[in-house]
Amino acid sequence: MGIRFNEVSYGYSSFAQGLYTAIKDINLEITEKNEFIALVGHTGSGKSTLAKHMNALIFPTSGTLEIFGHTITNKRNKKIKYNDIRKKVGLVFQFPEYQLFEETVEKDIMFGPMNFQITKEEAKKLAKQSLKLVGLDDSYLSRNPYNLSGGEKKRVSIAGILAMDPDILVLDEPTSGLDPAGKRILMDLFKNINETTGKTIIIITHDMDLVYQYFNRVLVMNDGHLMFDGKTEALFQKEDVTDYHLDYPNTIKVLKYLNQELNLNMNVFQKTTAEALAEIKRAVKL
Ligand SMILES: Nc1ncnc2c1ncn2[C@@H]1O[C@H](COP(=O)(O)OP(=O)(O)OP(=O)(O)O)[C@@H](O)[C@H]1O
Ligand SMILES: [Mg+2]
């Protein structure tokens, strides 16, 4: 079960450009339990387009998509309840402005759960809990989402999806624009949800340090193609990830540089700054 792409391509059609194929012949399987996956790739490589397929927000132009046993093709099928799919797979948009539209933060977070037969009181409680999870206190409940900072909007849009308690969470650049502490709070929250509930979580990011530290599986998009699907360690052990328009994590870059400049033989594959520093200490016998 979970999500499976079979030869999926998607083309945007616009009057000015004609048809633009944003993702091409994608084959991909994501199980519904215990996965923690990073989705990376250069700007315009097709990450958001791929993510929008995962909860049937858009349909493949060709190929088929299976989501929790429902087969999605390029035609709307009256027998499929698309809202049920969107309850099972929660997607947090890249731009929170597309997701926030109520006049208070509380109403915004309550909106999703209220569609699924729960009382107003329960929804209010959920709103409070979800807001706390993303690191915002109760004083935000009565605020107008429109007047929040970029990072606050992002957190509120994430709280809205958490409140719906989906089985699979897809987050499109949830940490972009956040300060370093905010990034860590959210990444620890997602990891914690993944570990305690077994929910599969897919996160789009450009931050290779986060990818290396937090994720075991990574998907790399390049020019609409899925170029790599495998272990994070294996990706960064490759000779040249710049072929995929990616960069190495800072720890690897610094240790490689020091090895070269100081003629050392350190193990460059250290995930955190603390581990990298320990390796440097060992090598120079501090
Ligand atoms: N509504 C649209 N109409 C036409 N082309 C589009 C539309 N949305 C996206 N595209 C094009 O499809 C390609 C893939 O876009 P997508 O948003 O999936 O990229 P991305 O990998 O998420 O990039 P980013 O890292 O900048 O968010 C891009 O070249 C983009 O210009
Ligand atoms: Mg995007």
Side-chain angles (χ1 to χ4, degrees), residues 48 94 172-173:
S48 295
Q94 180 168 7
D172 197 344
E173 302 201 27

Side-chain angles (χ1 to χ4, degrees), residues 8 32 66 96 121 123 158 176 199 236 254 267 270 281:
V8 169
E32 66 190 276
E66 284 160 50
E121 284 319 301
I158 294 167
S176 74
K199 286 179 198 294
F236 293 124
V254 169
N267 175 1
Q270 309 294 337
K281 268 187 175 178

